[in-house]
Coordinates of all heavy atoms in Angstrom, one line a residue:
M8 N 20.5 -4.1 -16.0 CA 19.7 -4.4 -14.8 C 20.5 -5.5 -14.1 O 21.3 -6.3 -14.6 CB 18.4 -4.9 -15.2 CG 17.4 -5.1 -14.1 SD 17.1 -3.8 -12.9 CE 16.2 -2.5 -13.8
A9 N 20.3 -5.6 -12.8 CA 21.0 -6.6 -12.0 C 20.7 -8.1 -12.3 O 19.5 -8.4 -12.7 CB 20.6 -6.3 -10.5
L10 N 21.6 -8.9 -12.1 CA 21.5 -10.3 -12.3 C 21.2 -11.0 -11.0 O 22.0 -10.8 -10.0 CB 22.7 -10.9 -13.0 CG 22.7 -12.5 -13.1 CD1 21.6 -13.0 -14.0 CD2 24.0 -12.9 -13.7
I11 N 20.1 -11.7 -10.8 CA 19.8 -12.4 -9.6 C 19.7 -13.9 -9.8 O 19.0 -14.4 -10.8 CB 18.4 -11.9 -9.1 CG1 18.5 -10.3 -8.8 CG2 18.0 -12.6 -7.8 CD1 17.2 -9.7 -8.5
Y12 N 20.4 -14.7 -9.0 CA 20.2 -16.1 -9.0 C 19.3 -16.5 -7.9 O 19.5 -16.1 -6.7 CB 21.6 -16.8 -8.8 CG 22.6 -16.8 -9.9 CD1 23.8 -17.3 -9.8 CD2 22.2 -16.3 -11.2 CE1 24.7 -17.3 -10.9 CE2 23.1 -16.3 -12.2 CZ 24.3 -16.8 -12.1 OH 25.2 -16.7 -13.1
I13 N 18.4 -17.4 -8.1 CA 17.5 -18.0 -7.1 C 17.8 -19.5 -7.0 O 17.8 -20.2 -8.0 CB 16.0 -17.8 -7.5 CG1 15.7 -16.3 -7.6 CG2 15.1 -18.5 -6.5 CD1 14.3 -16.1 -8.2
V14 N 18.1 -19.9 -5.7 CA 18.4 -21.3 -5.4 C 17.3 -21.8 -4.5 O 17.2 -21.4 -3.4 CB 19.8 -21.5 -4.8 CG1 20.0 -23.0 -4.7 CG2 20.8 -20.9 -5.6
E15 N 16.3 -22.5 -5.0 CA 15.1 -22.9 -4.4 C 14.6 -24.3 -4.9 O 14.4 -24.4 -6.1 CB 14.0 -21.8 -4.5 CG 12.7 -22.2 -4.0 CD 12.6 -22.4 -2.5 OE1 12.8 -21.5 -1.8 OE2 12.2 -23.6 -2.1
D16 N 14.4 -25.3 -4.0 CA 14.0 -26.6 -4.5 C 12.5 -26.7 -4.7 O 12.1 -27.5 -5.4 CB 14.5 -27.7 -3.5 CG 14.0 -27.5 -2.1 OD1 13.9 -26.4 -1.6 OD2 13.6 -28.6 -1.5
D17 N 11.7 -25.8 -4.0 CA 10.3 -25.9 -4.2 C 9.9 -25.1 -5.5 O 10.1 -23.9 -5.6 CB 9.6 -25.2 -3.0 CG 8.1 -25.3 -3.1 OD1 7.5 -25.0 -4.1 OD2 7.5 -25.7 -2.1
V18 N 9.4 -25.8 -6.4 CA 9.1 -25.3 -7.8 C 8.1 -24.2 -7.7 O 8.2 -23.2 -8.5 CB 8.7 -26.4 -8.8 CG1 7.3 -27.0 -8.4 CG2 8.7 -25.9 -10.2
N19 N 7.1 -24.3 -6.9 CA 6.1 -23.2 -6.8 C 6.7 -21.9 -6.3 O 6.4 -20.8 -6.8 CB 4.9 -23.6 -5.9 CG 4.2 -24.8 -6.5 OD1 3.9 -24.8 -7.7 ND2 3.8 -25.7 -5.7
I20 N 7.5 -22.0 -5.2 CA 8.2 -20.8 -4.7 C 9.1 -20.2 -5.7 O 9.2 -19.0 -5.9 CB 8.8 -21.1 -3.4 CG1 7.8 -21.5 -2.3 CG2 9.7 -19.9 -2.9 CD1 8.5 -22.0 -1.0
R21 N 9.9 -21.1 -6.3 CA 10.9 -20.6 -7.4 C 10.2 -19.9 -8.5 O 10.7 -18.9 -9.0 CB 11.6 -21.8 -7.8 CG 12.9 -21.4 -8.6 CD 13.8 -22.7 -8.9 NE 13.1 -23.7 -9.7 CZ 12.8 -24.9 -9.4 NH1 13.1 -25.3 -8.1 NH2 12.2 -25.7 -10.2
E22 N 9.1 -20.4 -9.0 CA 8.3 -19.8 -10.1 C 7.8 -18.4 -9.6 O 7.8 -17.5 -10.4 CB 7.2 -20.7 -10.6 CG 7.7 -21.9 -11.4 CD 6.6 -22.8 -11.8 OE1 5.4 -22.6 -11.4 OE2 6.9 -23.7 -12.5
I23 N 7.2 -18.3 -8.5 CA 6.7 -17.0 -8.0 C 7.8 -16.0 -7.9 O 7.7 -14.8 -8.3 CB 6.0 -17.2 -6.6 CG1 4.7 -18.0 -6.8 CG2 5.7 -15.9 -6.0 CD1 4.1 -18.4 -5.5
E24 N 8.9 -16.4 -7.3 CA 10.0 -15.4 -7.1 C 10.6 -15.0 -8.5 O 10.8 -13.8 -8.7 CB 11.2 -16.1 -6.3 CG 10.9 -16.3 -4.9 CD 11.9 -17.1 -4.1 OE1 12.7 -17.8 -4.7 OE2 11.9 -16.9 -2.9
T25 N 10.8 -16.0 -9.4 CA 11.3 -15.7 -10.7 C 10.3 -14.7 -11.5 O 10.8 -13.8 -12.1 CB 11.5 -17.0 -11.5 OG1 12.5 -17.8 -10.8 CG2 12.0 -16.7 -12.9
F26 N 9.0 -15.1 -11.4 CA 8.0 -14.3 -12.2 C 8.0 -12.9 -11.6 O 8.1 -11.9 -12.4 CB 6.7 -14.9 -12.0 CG 5.5 -14.1 -12.6 CD1 5.3 -14.3 -14.0 CD2 4.7 -13.3 -11.8 CE1 4.3 -13.5 -14.6 CE2 3.7 -12.6 -12.4 CZ 3.5 -12.7 -13.7
S27 N 8.0 -12.7 -10.3 CA 8.0 -11.3 -9.7 C 9.2 -10.5 -10.0 O 9.1 -9.3 -10.4 CB 7.9 -11.5 -8.2 OG 6.6 -12.1 -7.9
L28 N 10.3 -11.1 -10.0 CA 11.6 -10.4 -10.2 C 11.7 -10.0 -11.7 O 12.2 -8.9 -12.0 CB 12.8 -11.1 -9.8 CG 12.9 -11.2 -8.2 CD1 13.9 -12.3 -7.8 CD2 13.2 -9.9 -7.6
K29 N 11.4 -10.9 -12.6 CA 11.4 -10.6 -14.0 C 10.5 -9.5 -14.4 O 10.8 -8.6 -15.2 CB 11.2 -11.9 -14.9 CG 12.3 -12.8 -14.9 CD 12.0 -14.0 -15.8 CE 13.3 -14.9 -15.9 NZ 13.0 -16.0 -16.9
N30 N 9.3 -9.6 -13.8 CA 8.3 -8.5 -14.1 C 8.7 -7.1 -13.5 O 8.2 -6.1 -13.9 CB 6.9 -8.8 -13.5 CG 6.2 -9.8 -14.4 OD1 6.5 -9.9 -15.6 ND2 5.3 -10.5 -13.9
S31 N 9.7 -7.2 -12.6 CA 10.2 -5.9 -12.0 C 11.5 -5.5 -12.8 O 12.1 -4.5 -12.5 CB 10.6 -6.1 -10.6 OG 9.5 -6.4 -9.8
G32 N 11.8 -6.2 -13.9 CA 12.8 -5.8 -14.8 C 14.2 -6.4 -14.5 O 15.2 -6.0 -15.1
Y33 N 14.3 -7.3 -13.6 CA 15.6 -8.0 -13.3 C 15.9 -9.2 -14.2 O 15.0 -9.8 -14.7 CB 15.6 -8.4 -11.8 CG 15.6 -7.3 -10.8 CD1 14.3 -7.0 -10.2 CD2 16.7 -6.6 -10.6 CE1 14.3 -6.0 -9.3 CE2 16.6 -5.6 -9.6 CZ 15.4 -5.2 -9.0 OH 15.4 -4.2 -8.2
T34 N 17.1 -9.4 -14.4 CA 17.5 -10.6 -15.1 C 17.7 -11.8 -14.0 O 18.3 -11.5 -13.0 CB 18.9 -10.4 -15.8 OG1 18.8 -9.3 -16.7 CG2 19.3 -11.7 -16.6
V35 N 17.0 -12.9 -14.3 CA 16.9 -13.9 -13.2 C 17.2 -15.3 -13.8 O 16.8 -15.6 -14.9 CB 15.5 -14.0 -12.6 CG1 15.3 -15.0 -11.6 CG2 15.0 -12.6 -12.1
M36 N 18.0 -16.0 -13.1 CA 18.2 -17.4 -13.4 C 17.9 -18.2 -12.1 O 18.3 -17.8 -11.0 CB 19.7 -17.7 -13.7 CG 20.1 -17.0 -15.0 SD 21.6 -17.7 -15.7 CE 21.0 -19.3 -16.2
D37 N 17.2 -19.3 -12.3 CA 16.8 -20.0 -11.1 C 17.4 -21.5 -11.1 O 17.6 -22.0 -12.2 CB 15.2 -20.1 -10.9 CG 14.5 -20.7 -12.1 OD1 14.3 -20.0 -13.1 OD2 14.3 -21.9 -12.1
F38 N 17.6 -22.0 -10.0 CA 18.2 -23.3 -9.8 C 17.5 -24.1 -8.8 O 17.1 -23.6 -7.7 CB 19.7 -23.1 -9.4 CG 20.4 -22.2 -10.3 CD1 20.5 -20.9 -10.0 CD2 21.0 -22.7 -11.5 CE1 21.2 -20.0 -10.9 CE2 21.7 -21.9 -12.4 CZ 21.8 -20.5 -12.0
E39 N 17.3 -25.4 -9.1 CA 16.6 -26.3 -8.2 C 17.6 -26.9 -7.1 O 17.1 -27.3 -6.0 CB 16.0 -27.5 -9.0 CG 15.2 -28.4 -8.1 CD 14.5 -29.5 -8.9 OE1 14.6 -29.5 -10.2 OE2 13.8 -30.3 -8.3
C40 N 18.8 -27.0 -7.4 CA 19.8 -27.6 -6.5 C 21.1 -26.8 -6.5 O 21.4 -26.1 -7.4 CB 20.0 -29.0 -6.8 SG 20.8 -29.3 -8.4
A41 N 21.9 -27.0 -5.5 CA 23.2 -26.3 -5.4 C 24.2 -26.8 -6.5 O 24.9 -25.9 -6.9 CB 23.8 -26.6 -4.0
K42 N 24.1 -28.0 -6.9 CA 25.0 -28.4 -8.0 C 24.9 -27.6 -9.2 O 25.9 -27.1 -9.8 CB 24.8 -29.9 -8.3 CG 25.6 -30.5 -9.3 CD 25.3 -31.9 -9.7 CE 26.1 -32.4 -10.9 NZ 25.6 -33.7 -11.3
D43 N 23.7 -27.4 -9.7 CA 23.4 -26.6 -10.9 C 23.8 -25.1 -10.7 O 24.4 -24.5 -11.5 CB 22.0 -26.6 -11.3 CG 21.5 -28.0 -11.7 OD1 22.4 -28.9 -12.1 OD2 20.3 -28.3 -11.7
F44 N 23.5 -24.6 -9.5 CA 23.9 -23.3 -9.1 C 25.4 -23.1 -9.2 O 25.9 -22.1 -9.7 CB 23.4 -23.0 -7.7 CG 24.0 -21.8 -7.1 CD1 23.7 -20.5 -7.5 CD2 24.9 -21.9 -6.0 CE1 24.3 -19.4 -6.9 CE2 25.4 -20.8 -5.4 CZ 25.1 -19.6 -5.8
Y45 N 26.2 -24.0 -8.6 CA 27.7 -23.9 -8.6 C 28.2 -23.9 -10.0 O 29.2 -23.2 -10.3 CB 28.3 -25.0 -7.8 CG 28.2 -24.8 -6.3 CD1 27.7 -25.8 -5.5 CD2 28.6 -23.6 -5.7 CE1 27.6 -25.6 -4.1 CE2 28.5 -23.5 -4.3 CZ 28.0 -24.5 -3.5 OH 27.9 -24.3 -2.2
H46 N 27.6 -24.7 -10.8 CA 28.1 -24.8 -12.2 C 28.0 -23.5 -12.9 O 28.9 -23.0 -13.6 CB 27.3 -25.9 -12.9 CG 27.8 -26.3 -14.3 ND1 29.0 -26.9 -14.4 CD2 27.4 -26.1 -15.5 CE1 29.3 -27.1 -15.7 NE2 28.3 -26.6 -16.4
K47 N 26.8 -22.8 -12.7 CA 26.6 -21.5 -13.4 C 27.4 -20.4 -12.7 O 27.9 -19.5 -13.3 CB 25.2 -21.1 -13.4 CG 24.8 -19.9 -14.1 CD 25.1 -20.1 -15.6 CE 24.7 -18.9 -16.4 NZ 25.1 -19.1 -17.8
L48 N 27.6 -20.5 -11.4 CA 28.4 -19.5 -10.6 C 29.8 -19.4 -11.1 O 30.4 -18.3 -11.1 CB 28.3 -19.8 -9.1 CG 28.9 -18.8 -8.1 CD1 28.2 -17.5 -8.2 CD2 28.9 -19.4 -6.7
S49 N 30.4 -20.5 -11.5 CA 31.7 -20.5 -12.0 C 31.8 -19.8 -13.3 O 32.9 -19.3 -13.7 CB 32.3 -21.9 -12.2 OG 31.5 -22.6 -13.2
D50 N 30.7 -19.6 -14.1 CA 30.6 -18.8 -15.3 C 30.4 -17.4 -15.1 O 31.1 -16.5 -15.7 CB 29.6 -19.4 -16.3 CG 29.8 -20.8 -16.8 OD1 31.0 -21.2 -16.8 OD2 28.8 -21.4 -17.2
K51 N 29.5 -17.0 -14.2 CA 29.1 -15.6 -14.0 C 28.6 -15.5 -12.6 O 27.8 -16.2 -12.1 CB 28.0 -15.3 -15.0 CG 27.4 -13.8 -14.8 CD 27.4 -13.1 -16.1 CE 26.8 -11.8 -16.0 NZ 27.7 -10.7 -15.8
V52 N 29.2 -14.4 -11.9 CA 28.8 -14.1 -10.5 C 27.6 -13.1 -10.6 O 27.8 -12.1 -11.3 CB 30.0 -13.6 -9.7 CG1 29.6 -13.2 -8.4 CG2 31.1 -14.6 -9.7
P53 N 26.5 -13.4 -9.9 CA 25.4 -12.5 -9.9 C 25.6 -11.3 -9.0 O 26.5 -11.3 -8.1 CB 24.3 -13.4 -9.5 CG 24.9 -14.3 -8.5 CD 26.3 -14.6 -9.1
D54 N 24.6 -10.4 -9.1 CA 24.6 -9.2 -8.2 C 23.9 -9.6 -6.9 O 24.3 -9.0 -5.8 CB 23.9 -8.1 -8.9 CG 24.6 -7.6 -10.1 OD1 25.7 -7.1 -10.0 OD2 23.9 -7.8 -11.2
L55 N 23.0 -10.6 -6.9 CA 22.3 -11.0 -5.7 C 22.0 -12.5 -5.8 O 21.7 -12.9 -6.9 CB 21.0 -10.2 -5.6 CG 20.1 -10.5 -4.5 CD1 20.7 -10.0 -3.1 CD2 18.7 -9.8 -4.7
I56 N 22.0 -13.2 -4.7 CA 21.6 -14.6 -4.6 C 20.5 -14.7 -3.6 O 20.7 -14.3 -2.4 CB 22.8 -15.5 -4.2 CG1 23.9 -15.4 -5.3 CG2 22.4 -16.9 -4.1 CD1 25.2 -16.0 -4.8
L57 N 19.4 -15.3 -4.0 CA 18.3 -15.6 -3.1 C 18.5 -17.1 -2.8 O 18.3 -17.9 -3.7 CB 16.9 -15.3 -3.7 CG 16.6 -13.9 -4.0 CD1 15.2 -13.7 -4.6 CD2 16.7 -13.0 -2.7
L58 N 18.8 -17.4 -1.6 CA 19.2 -18.8 -1.3 C 18.3 -19.4 -0.2 O 18.1 -18.9 0.9 CB 20.6 -18.8 -0.8 CG 21.3 -20.0 -0.3 CD1 21.4 -21.0 -1.4 CD2 22.7 -19.7 0.3
D59 N 17.6 -20.5 -0.6 CA 16.8 -21.3 0.4 C 17.7 -22.0 1.4 O 18.8 -22.4 1.0 CB 16.0 -22.3 -0.4 CG 15.0 -23.1 0.4 OD1 14.7 -22.6 1.6 OD2 14.6 -24.2 0.0
I60 N 17.3 -22.0 2.6 CA 18.1 -22.7 3.6 C 17.9 -24.2 3.6 O 18.8 -25.0 3.8 CB 17.7 -22.2 5.0 CG1 18.1 -20.7 5.1 CG2 18.4 -22.9 6.2 CD1 19.5 -20.3 4.9
M61 N 16.7 -24.7 3.4 CA 16.4 -26.1 3.4 C 16.4 -26.7 2.0 O 15.4 -27.1 1.5 CB 15.0 -26.3 4.1 CG 15.0 -25.8 5.5 SD 13.4 -25.8 6.4 CE 12.7 -27.4 5.8
L62 N 17.6 -26.9 1.5 CA 17.9 -27.5 0.2 C 18.2 -29.0 0.4 O 18.8 -29.4 1.5 CB 19.0 -26.9 -0.5 CG 18.8 -25.4 -1.0 CD1 20.1 -24.8 -1.4 CD2 17.8 -25.4 -2.0
P63 N 17.9 -29.9 -0.6 CA 18.3 -31.3 -0.4 C 19.8 -31.4 -0.6 O 20.4 -30.6 -1.3 CB 17.5 -31.9 -1.6 CG 17.3 -30.8 -2.6 CD 17.2 -29.6 -1.8
K64 N 20.4 -32.4 0.0 CA 21.8 -32.8 -0.1 C 22.7 -31.8 0.6 O 23.6 -32.2 1.3 CB 22.2 -33.1 -1.5 CG 21.5 -34.2 -2.1 CD 22.0 -34.5 -3.5 CE 21.1 -35.7 -4.1 NZ 21.5 -35.9 -5.5
M65 N 22.6 -30.5 0.4 CA 23.5 -29.5 1.0 C 22.6 -28.3 1.3 O 21.9 -27.8 0.5 CB 24.5 -29.1 -0.1 CG 25.4 -28.0 0.4 SD 26.6 -27.4 -0.8 CE 27.7 -28.8 -0.8
N66 N 22.5 -28.0 2.6 CA 21.6 -26.9 3.1 C 22.2 -25.5 2.7 O 23.4 -25.4 2.3 CB 21.3 -27.0 4.6 CG 22.5 -26.7 5.5 OD1 23.2 -25.7 5.2 ND2 22.7 -27.5 6.5
G67 N 21.4 -24.5 2.8 CA 21.8 -23.2 2.4 C 22.9 -22.6 3.2 O 23.7 -21.8 2.6
F68 N 23.1 -23.0 4.4 CA 24.2 -22.5 5.2 C 25.5 -23.0 4.6 O 26.5 -22.3 4.6 CB 24.1 -22.9 6.7 CG 22.9 -22.3 7.4 CD1 21.9 -23.0 7.9 CD2 22.9 -20.9 7.6 CE1 20.8 -22.4 8.5 CE2 21.8 -20.3 8.2 CZ 20.8 -21.0 8.7
E69 N 25.5 -24.3 4.2 CA 26.7 -24.9 3.6 C 27.0 -24.2 2.2 O 28.2 -23.9 1.9 CB 26.5 -26.4 3.4 CG 26.5 -27.2 4.7 CD 26.0 -28.6 4.5 OE1 25.1 -28.8 3.7 OE2 26.5 -29.4 5.3
V70 N 26.0 -23.9 1.5 CA 26.1 -23.3 0.2 C 26.7 -21.9 0.5 O 27.7 -21.4 -0.2 CB 24.8 -23.2 -0.5 CG1 25.0 -22.3 -1.8 CG2 24.3 -24.6 -0.9
C71 N 26.2 -21.1 1.4 CA 26.7 -19.8 1.8 C 28.1 -19.8 2.2 O 28.9 -18.9 1.7 CB 25.8 -19.2 2.8 SG 26.2 -17.5 3.2
Q72 N 28.5 -20.8 2.9 CA 29.9 -20.9 3.3 C 30.8 -21.1 2.2 O 31.9 -20.5 2.1 CB 30.1 -22.1 4.4 CG 31.5 -22.2 4.9 CD 31.9 -21.0 5.7 OE1 31.2 -20.4 6.4 NE2 33.2 -20.6 5.5
Q73 N 30.4 -22.0 1.3 CA 31.2 -22.2 0.1 C 31.3 -21.0 -0.8 O 32.3 -20.8 -1.5 CB 30.7 -23.5 -0.7 CG 31.0 -24.8 0.0 CD 30.7 -26.0 -0.8 OE1 30.4 -25.9 -2.0 NE2 30.9 -27.1 -0.2
I74 N 30.3 -20.2 -0.9 CA 30.3 -19.0 -1.7 C 31.3 -18.0 -1.1 O 32.0 -17.4 -1.8 CB 28.9 -18.3 -1.7 CG1 27.9 -19.2 -2.5 CG2 28.9 -16.9 -2.3 CD1 26.4 -18.7 -2.4
R75 N 31.3 -17.9 0.2 CA 32.3 -17.0 0.8 C 33.7 -17.5 0.6 O 34.6 -16.7 0.4 CB 32.1 -17.1 2.3 CG 30.8 -16.2 2.7 CD 30.6 -16.2 4.2 NE 29.5 -15.5 4.6 CZ 28.8 -15.5 5.7 NH1 29.3 -16.4 6.6 NH2 27.8 -14.8 6.0
E76 N 34.0 -18.8 0.5 CA 35.3 -19.3 0.2 C 35.6 -19.1 -1.2 O 36.8 -18.9 -1.5 CB 35.3 -20.8 0.6 CG 35.2 -21.0 2.1 CD 35.1 -22.5 2.5 OE1 35.1 -23.4 1.6 OE2 34.9 -22.8 3.7
F77 N 34.7 -19.1 -2.1 CA 34.8 -18.9 -3.5 C 35.3 -17.5 -3.9 O 36.1 -17.3 -4.7 CB 33.5 -19.3 -4.2 CG 33.5 -19.0 -5.7 CD1 34.2 -19.9 -6.6 CD2 32.9 -17.9 -6.3 CE1 34.2 -19.7 -7.9 CE2 33.0 -17.7 -7.6 CZ 33.6 -18.6 -8.5
S78 N 34.7 -16.6 -3.1 CA 35.1 -15.1 -3.5 C 36.3 -14.6 -2.8 O 37.1 -15.1 -2.3 CB 33.9 -14.2 -3.2 OG 33.3 -14.5 -1.9

């Protein structure tokens, strides 16, 4: 099944997304901040990334730009 990374700082939203996707049979890893996400991204690239735009310290647009440069 597809591996999905969720980057979301709001714990309630992150839990709902993770719960829903896992119950649909997906493998899910969730991250509160971009730093933790980047650390894991260097180990394994997911099939899909759900990325919040309004993240602390680095917004989702900046994260997206760095992902594009990474690949």
Side-chain angles (χ1 to χ4, degrees):
M8 189 54 68
L10 173 61
I11 301 174
Y12 285 177
I13 299 172
V14 186
E15 171 63 63
D16 61 320
D17 185 311
V18 68
N19 295 319
I20 295 171
R21 193 171 64 245
E22 286 178 355
I23 290 169
E24 292 172 340
T25 300
F26 177 80
S27 297
L28 290 168
K29 283 184 176 181
N30 280 337
S31 295
Y33 294 100
T34 303
V35 179
M36 295 198 69
D37 60 274
F38 306 92
E39 184 176 0
C40 65
K42 179 183 173 187
D43 296 337
F44 163 71
Y45 284 129
H46 191 69
K47 188 64 178 177
L48 187 61
S49 65
D50 293 338
K51 179 129 174 97
V52 176
D54 298 296
L55 177 71
I56 300 169
L57 295 180
L58 179 60
D59 183 18
I60 296 301
M61 296 173 44
L62 294 169
K64 297 184 183 175
M65 178 182 284
N66 71 45
F68 293 115
E69 294 168 325
V70 173
C71 186
Q72 183 63 39
Q73 287 190 5
I74 292 169
R75 287 181 178 160
E76 292 170 4
F77 176 76
S78 44

